[in-house]
Amino acid sequence: KARALERAQRLGLPAVVIDPGRNLSPEDLSRDTFAAIESFGADVAVMAGFLRLLPIPARWIGRVLNIHPSLLPAFGGKGFYGDRVHKAVLEAGVKETGCTVHYVDNQYDHGPILLQRRIAVRTEDTVETLAARVFEEEKIALPEALRRHLARATVSGAGG
């Protein structure tokens, strides 16, 4: 039922569903996920909306990106996703938020930050309005971060 599968089909992109029943251990999920990614010949992976801890094999460190709807390290970690993040931002009364694209390591919402985009939190913001404005920034941040990553990989000779 994932919308990403509909998009992939519409764009003629290969897609695979791994562990829809959430029965695999993190290690088995990692093995199957990276085997599938490698079978497509990918050099980089992007996690967007991925809500499980996915152990990153050593050979993939520095090649897996994630986007998170806050200015990490604030409002990140296990259980901080989607509207939960925006609700926490509003409850904390912070003056700014945004989104972060970072390299994934083996902790939730952790790893070197590649790019952040900031927006002001407005006094009239609700979870919904804040989420919508952060999402607009995410649509700019993720492609830009991917471009930066690919440019670095090309310069370093790592491919991409």
Side-chain angles (χ1 to χ4, degrees):
K1 296 180 183 179
R3 226 170 106 191
L5 294 172
E6 295 170 16
R7 287 181 180 171
Q9 184 177 21
R10 185 177 73 241
L11 296 170
L13 298 172
V16 62
V17 176
I18 299 170
D19 195 25
R22 294 180 165 243
N23 297 319
L24 292 177
S25 69
E27 294 73 22
D28 289 342
L29 177 64
S30 177
R31 179 200 62 226
D32 292 358
T33 298
F34 286 97
I37 291 169
E38 290 169 358
S39 76
F40 293 122
D43 292 321
V44 63
V46 177
M47 297 171 64
F50 201 91
L51 301 179
R52 293 174 70 182
L53 185 63
L54 180 70
I56 308 301
R59 69 188 178 281
W60 277 90
I61 295 291
R63 296 194 293 148
V64 181
L65 306 178
N66 183 44
I67 188 159
H68 184 77
S70 77
L71 298 173
L72 291 175
F75 308 104
K78 187 174 184 174
F80 278 99
Y81 59 87
D83 287 349
R84 292 178 178 194
V85 171
H86 307 302
K87 182 176 187 271
V89 164
L90 292 172
E91 288 175 351
V94 298
K95 300 297 180 199
E96 76 174 358
T97 189
C99 60
T100 302
V101 181
H102 65 97
Y103 288 102
V104 178
D105 61 14
N106 292 312
Q107 298 177 48
Y108 283 104
D109 300 325
H110 189 265
I113 292 172
L114 185 56
L115 181 145
Q116 290 184 316
R117 290 192 57 91
R118 299 171 181 273
I119 62 168
V121 177
R122 300 175 182 159
T123 56
E124 70 274 12
D125 267 326
T126 65
V127 168
E128 294 78 18
T129 62
L130 188 59
R133 290 190 306 108
V134 169
F135 183 64
E136 290 304 310
E137 297 302 317
E138 288 180 303
K139 293 190 300 188
I140 298 167
L142 188 55
E144 177 57 28
L146 191 52
R147 280 189 289 275
R148 287 183 188 185
H149 167 79
L150 294 174
R152 288 179 185 176
T154 300
V155 168
S156 70

